[in-house]
Amino acid sequence: EASHNQVMRFGELPSWAMALSDSIHDAVLSCSIHVPTDLESCNGRRNELVSPFPSDLLWRQPLFDQLIANLYHPGEGICAHVDLMRFEDGIAIVSLESSCVMHFSQVEAEGGESSSSSSSANRKKIPVYLNPGSLILMSGEARYEWKHEINRNPGVQMWEGHELQQATRTSITLRKLR
Ligand code: AKG
């Protein structure tokens, strides 16, 4: 129905989402690289695995047990937020159907200054362009210390000097409950 724009699933995921989870696992493995460490300070370890998802998260079982599918119509987005603490570290979002820009902004420090120069409106936002099929992985600092948002108000979704054509967008967010 037109009014339904979000579905959630907790616990055992449907088979298509399990397949997606496996693909994410494989994608992370394929872009993890071994970087040589300084031999004098490596205490016997010659390589360090640099991965977009820490290995303790990547190998947990199950990798994900909660999903949200969000459907966005043109002009619709999602406000800046950090995902609830009821979810573990290690969150994946697959972006589908149309392109958009997700912005990341640092969470305000508690008890921080209240001057206008430190207000959230003035905080630097880091834009990340998402194609259909883009995968966002958030862990550690990115998951806990940065908010993410998608503002699809007219005139806002710019990339490389061009306004993005608004179209329907679907995202699949995969997380693990604590
Ligand atoms: C959420 O459901 O909490 C999201 O942040 C979804 C983001 C997206 O649609 O890409």
Side-chain angles (χ1 to χ4, degrees):
E1 292 173 26
S3 61
H4 289 181
N5 58 8
Q6 187 178 71
V7 289
M8 290 190 196
R9 178 87 171 233
F10 293 82
E12 198 177 324
L13 300 182
S15 56
W16 64 264
M18 294 301 293
L20 184 60
S21 169
D22 290 345
S23 299
I24 292 170
H25 184 274
D26 294 349
V28 173
L29 277 182
S30 69
C31 63
S32 301
I33 49 168
H34 282 91
V35 178
T37 53
D38 179 339
L39 286 181
E40 282 179 354
S41 61
C42 71
N43 295 326
R45 283 179 56 211
R46 281 164 190 263
N47 285 300
E48 190 187 352
L49 186 65
V50 176
S51 158
F53 236 37
S55 58
D56 55 327
L57 300 180
L58 187 61
W59 294 99
R60 70 187 173 194
Q61 289 292 335
L63 183 52
F64 305 110
D65 61 7
Q66 197 265 348
L67 84 79
I68 299 186
N70 282 310
L71 169 68
Y72 301 89
H73 296 292
E76 294 175 346
I78 189 161
C79 295
H81 66 284
V82 170
D83 283 20
L84 296 175
M85 294 303 133
R86 66 190 293 204
F87 299 109
E88 279 188 12
D89 194 8
I91 293 168
I93 304 172
V94 180
S95 193
L96 299 169
E97 288 192 271
S98 66
S99 301
C100 73
V101 179
M102 179 176 274
H103 281 95
F104 287 81
S105 53
Q106 262 183 306
V107 171
E108 300 82 359
E110 256 180 61
E113 301 153 60
S114 56
S115 72
S116 60
S117 63
S118 66
S119 73
S120 53
N122 289 325
R123 273 173 191 275
K124 192 168 178 198
K125 291 188 175 179
I126 310 291
V128 177
Y129 179 66
L130 304 176
N131 271 322
S134 289
L135 168 65
I136 303 149
L137 298 165
M138 291 187 288
S139 67
E141 202 179 316
R143 186 257 183 272
Y144 293 112
E145 293 173 36
W146 289 76
K147 293 190 262 193
H148 54 284
E149 71 182 289
I150 298 167
N151 183 339
R152 301 216 303 168
N153 288 338
V156 173
Q157 290 272 288
M158 302 289 292
W159 192 256
E160 295 184 343
H162 300 287
E163 184 168 349
L164 297 184
Q165 281 298 318
Q166 296 267 347
T168 301
R169 173 176 177 266
T170 299
S171 68
I172 311 293
T173 302
L174 291 163
R175 303 183 281 206
K176 171 119 173 40
L177 284 160
R178 283 190 190 279

